[in-house]
Every structure is written in C-alpha cells, then in structure tokens.
Amino acid sequence: MGVDRAYDNSDFAIAEECDDGAPQTAGGTVAARICRSVVSRTSVVVRRLGVGRASSLVIYALLVVFGTTTSSLAYSMMSQGSGFAPGVISGEPRLIRGDEFLTSTPILLGYIAAHGTSALTPLAQTPDVVHQIPSSGVFESVVFFDGSLLRLLSFVPDQMLFAAFWWLPSLLLMLCLPPWMQRLGASRIGSWLATGLVFVAPSVAWWSMTPIRVMAFTLAGCLLLIRGYDTWVRRPWLGFSLCVLAGILWSRVVSNYVPWAIVLSIPIVLATVSWLLFHRRGRKFAVKAAVTTCLSALVMLAGLVFDNWAALVAQSDTVYPGARRVTGAILPAANMFAGPFLRSLQDNSAATGIGQSDMSQAFTVCAVWALVLWVGLPQRKWSRRSIPIAMLGVSTAFWLSWCLLDWGGLGAHLPIVNRVVPIRAAQTVGILATILLGFVISRVPRAPSARIPLTAAVSCGAATAIGGSSLSAVFMPSVGPKEIFLCTVIVGILVGLLTAFPRSGWLAALGVGCAALVVVGANPIQVGLGDLRNSSTAQKFMAIGVDARRGHELWATDSKLTAALLTATGVPQLGGNQVTGPVAKKWQQLDPSSQYKEIWNRGVSAIIMRWTTDSNATISLGAARDQIIVSVDPCALPAKGFNLTHIVSEGPLPNGCLISNGTFEWNGAEKYIYAIN
C-alpha cells in the first residue's frame, strides 16, 4: 500500500507541475489534460505490472529499437575483413558459440532476408521445429507465431526483428515467472530472487539464452491456464480462449532442444496442473480449464507433427541424433556444483578436455539450499502451496540422480528420459532447483532461528567447495585454493543472509548481482548485424539471393564460413546446414547406390563441398564428425538434377565448365565466384 501511495503522490506532483507550467489558455488546458492522462495511464500500468515487469518491457523495447543482442555474430570468421565485425560495444564474440553464429543466427537471418521462403539446401529437411520458424504449414505458423511475425513485418529493419526474436523468451521469463510463482504460493521476493538467478545462470549465458527459450513459452502457457481458470466462472468464453492460447504455447514443448524441454518444461506443467486440480471448491472449473488446455495442446501438436512429418520421420531415422538412447551416469561434482567458479571460463584456455558451453551449468547449489530449508522449517500441514514444492522437488531429485548415479541398462529403457544426455541435464537441473528454492524460501519466517541460516550457509558452502575442488582437479587447474576458499565464503555468507532475512529485497538484489558477476563479459553486447548486413559483400549477396530465389537457382561453396554468409543473406545453396535430417531422394542423386548413407544420414551437421575433377561424388565425414564432406566435380552437378548456376571457391579452379564471375572478400581472404556454363 505504501508503494501505491508513493506512486499516487508522485503522479499528483507531476500533474501539478504540468498544470503550473502550462499557460492558462485553451491550448494550455489541453496540454495539461494530455499530460495528466499520460501520467495516470503510466501509473496504472506500473501498478498492475509492478516495477520489475514494467521495467522489463521498457528494456525490451530499447533493445529492439537499437538492435542490440548478445550474439557472437561479429566473430572474425563472420567478418569481411580479418578482425571482429563492427557493432561490438562490450565484451568479445566467442568461438565456442560457433553453433550460434555459424548455424542458428545465419538460418534466422536468412529466413528474414527471404521473407519466410525457403533458402536452404534441397538435401536437408526443413529446420522449422528446431529453430521455431515456420515455412508454409498452417499449424506451425500459429504455434511459432514469433517466427511468423518475422516474415509479416518485413518492413521492419532486420536488426530490430533479430533482436525482438532474440529477447522475446527473456521478456516472457520476466513477465511470467514471478506472477506464476506468486500465484502458486511464493512470495514476491522469493519469486524475483529465483527469476534473477535463472536469468544470470552460466548455462543461459554460455548457450546463448537457449534454456530460457526452451522453457519461457511453456511458462507463459501455464500462467495463461491459471488466468483462464480465474475468469472461467464470470466469463466462460474468455476463460476458454485463454486456455486455448495456453495449449498453443504448450505445444512448442517438442521444438527447439527437446532434452532441455524434458528437464525444464514438463515439471513446470505438472506443478501447474497439480496445483490447479488440488483446489476442491473450484475443481469443476479447474478440470474444464486443464482439459481445454491439454486438448488445445494435443490438437496443435498433432498439427505441428503433420506440418513437419517428413522432417520428423527423417530425424528419427538418422544415425545421429535419432538413434541415440542414453542412461544416467556419474558425473564429476564439477559439472553440478561449480557454478560460482565459472567466471574463469571467460579465459578461453582455462578449461581442458571440455568446451566452455559444455562446462556451464546453473546454480545447482540451490538444490542443497532448498533441501536444508525444507528440512529445517517447522512441519506444516499439507496444503495447496505444497504442490509446486513437491512436484519441483521430485523432478529436481530425479534429474540430480540422473547425473550422480549410474542407472545402468535401466535408464536406456525409460521412454522420454532416455533422450536426455546426463551432461545436458546437469546444465539445466540447477534452473529447476532455483525455482524450487524460490518457493521454499518464501515459507521461511521473517525471523527464523539462527540454526536454519547457519546450517544453510555451511551446507551450501560445503557443496560449493566440493564443486570447486572437483573443477580444479578435473577441468580447470587454474582454479586454485584461494579462489575456492573465497567463493565458498561468499556463497556461505550470501546464503546465510538471504535465509536470515528472506523478505529483504535489497539482499535478494545483492545475491542476484553477485551471481551476475559470474557471467558478465561472457557474451558481447552487439549492436546491429555486423558484416552479415552492413558489409559490401553481404549487400552483394542479398541482391544475389533475390534473383536466385526468383529463378530457383542454387549456389554452392567449399567453405563453411562462406556457406554461413550465403545462408544469412538468403541465397539458396546446395550445401549448408542439415539440422533435422536428410532428404533421401536428393542425396541419392549424389549417391545412387546409397553406399555413403551412414555418413549423410545424420542431423545437426554441416554439408561442405570439396571441388574435384571427378564426376562421381565421394562423401566422407569431417574431422569434427558434424561435417558431411561432398567431394565432386561442380560441372557434374547439373547433370545430377541440381539447378546449380554458381559456385564459390577458396581458390582458382581449372574445371572446363566454369566461367570466372569475379571475386569478393570474406574472413579476410579473397573468394572466387564461377558461373557454370
């Protein structure tokens, strides 16, 4: 109430200033009324959303207007010259994020450049489900509404569209996680503490926000389900509509990166539905809301499968990842409890035997914290507020066991679960633990006995010390005893203070701020799209892409970096990315006897051409095992049924059918363009 009065008083003061500063004329009176109206409406929005969520909307709008992201698209590999591309105002692009700046970002930028039309290789199935961008299907155009907006808003500058798509999941996290948690029983401070720790989790930073993209839409659907239940009694049609929308958001759970969706999204859905159905008085309307949402999700999911049937079948039949089934395994403690030490990952040579992204994790120590609090709190009667704690607690415990125990052959026979590699679960189970902590710490009394904060501080400090020692011994020898001791003490102090004063917003902000220090600088602050739009080379290929798409022509290149440029500028090519799986009939035009099927029948791969003088194609795997190398005479490709009109080469080529068509610079080197006669 005090906050509301503060807003009201400030509004009144501002309104008085508007009245005093405006001339007492007809025009001045109108200006004063407009001023008061703007202030009043702004105050209403802030009061309804809260300062945190209102600020999130403003920050999102500013990031979109200025085309600002944390993408590594300006890395030197993706520049016209030899250094970083322009637009980096803080930090530095990371080579480890190659799957972002060489695959997902070029695909998204190519989709924007081509206004939603296909500019990808005919050898591969469409990547719609993985990258959440619809091609032509009706259902996927609705489910991936944010992708549909990219082609509908073609008049908006590309960098703004890219930034809007990039930050939308983070905006949904800020808008939906706090009210969802508060509705299910968490306090305001507890919900914002969890939201902040999720946002600054190292795995979120080092995986280019992907964990948030995986869970944010499901979370928004859960909040809509609750809103639908709330309004069903008074306005049934509005409640029904909200539940239908919730189901549409839930149907995205099978898209993007499914293993993380299994870890993150399913427990959130189970917690929401269980909490809703536990309410006896309104159970009739809760059942209606839950059934409507589930039916909507199933219908849209069936439609999504229908639209992408060929791609999903191809993916399920691939050597990788379709045929992979895994089981739980024992991981080092470094993969679970070393989150506070991961600022050292910003030294690109610090980790040995593992990449920075694979080493990243969330703050899994929150699981220890939540357990200590739950055991230490006075036993209370089972209530509706216990439902999300039980669901998230069981889910967190299960995924911790998946990463800390050897499940043997049993794990490989568990459906759905056997799609989650233990290290991927380790990277995100800390997010579940953080949300669980938000619920549990909300039940700590204002003045708990000293035993609870002390026990929590010692327990979390011990877990942190174990994680740091394992990190030093297994992956990062540069993490020494002094750093382990310092991080352990800091974690223990913060945990103790936050437990002792669970209603302190300042302490919650301090905790999130200290956690943010782990990831500040991990990614660049990038304004604009670098050389993928602003260079003369990119401008040239943007124009080429328009003509090539109109004439259904194909280009091809023998460089993965040039292939990324062609993809980002919307130039259809024979090579490029095979994200989901192959189009077998097209590959058989290169490999009629299917002798290389074990090589080309895979997803999550790049197709790279190698120019030879042999008309028979030879297909092999690259050293990285995610590269499919096609060695062939470019002059033979039109005869194999591909409308190949131009190729790009790293050097001059002697093939008789090739006509030199100029050069261009990319990655600081000269590239050669040839037309095929």
Side-chain angles (χ1 to χ4, degrees), residues 362-533:
F363 296 109
T364 316
V365 70
C366 290
V368 178
W369 191 357
L371 177 62
V372 171
L373 295 185
W374 183 251
V375 172
L377 289 175
Q379 294 299 316
R380 297 180 179 179
K381 183 180 178 181
W382 178 268
S383 67
R384 200 181 187 194
R385 292 179 62 196
S386 306
I387 296 291
I389 295 176
M391 288 295 172
L392 294 175
V394 170
S395 300
T396 301
F398 174 82
W399 289 114
L400 284 173
S401 73
W402 193 252
C403 305
L404 295 174
L405 300 177
D406 184 359
W407 282 67
L410 173 63
H413 292 88
L414 296 177
I416 301 178
V417 175
N418 60 11
R419 304 300 298 271
V420 183
V421 179
I423 195 170
R424 298 293 178 246
Q427 289 158 359
T428 50
V429 66
I431 293 177
L432 273 186
T434 301
I435 299 174
L436 171 64
L437 172 67
F439 283 107
V440 177
I441 202 171
S442 299
R443 303 187 71 166
V444 176
R446 287 184 178 275
S449 65
R451 174 180 55 86
I452 297 178
L454 183 60
T455 305
V458 172
S459 300
C460 292
T464 301
I466 292 171
S469 300
S470 175
L471 182 68
S472 177
V474 181
F475 299 116
M476 297 176 65
S478 60
V479 176
K482 290 183 179 179
E483 185 175 350
I484 294 173
F485 176 77
L486 182 61
C487 280
T488 298
V489 171
I490 292 174
V491 169
I493 291 174
L494 287 173
V495 168
L497 288 175
L498 285 166
T499 305
F501 304 98
R503 304 295 186 269
S504 173
W506 291 108
L507 280 177
L510 176 64
V512 173
C514 290
L517 293 177
V518 176
V519 298
V520 170
N523 289 305
I525 304 299
Q526 171 70 37
V527 177
L529 301 176
D531 282 350
L532 290 176
R533 283 294 184 270

Side-chain angles (χ1 to χ4, degrees), residues 97 99 203-210 260 357-358 360 427:
R97 298 309 308 132
D99 57 341
S203 56
V204 170
W206 287 101
W207 285 98
S208 302
M209 320 299 285
T210 301
W260 281 347
S357 297
D358 286 337
S360 67
Q427 289 158 359

Side-chain angles (χ1 to χ4, degrees), residues 273-324:
V273 174
S274 300
W275 175 86
L276 205 62
L277 297 179
F278 188 83
H279 187 44
R280 295 181 179 178
R281 183 174 299 178
R283 185 169 295 168
K284 173 183 176 181
F285 299 103
V287 170
K288 289 182 178 180
V291 169
T292 300
T293 302
C294 291
L295 287 177
S296 171
L298 289 174
V299 169
M300 298 308 296
L301 181 59
L304 193 62
V305 170
F306 175 79
D307 288 341
N308 295 274
W309 180 252
L312 294 173
V313 170
Q315 184 180 46
S316 65
D317 191 45
T318 55
V319 175
Y320 175 85
R324 182 175 62 175

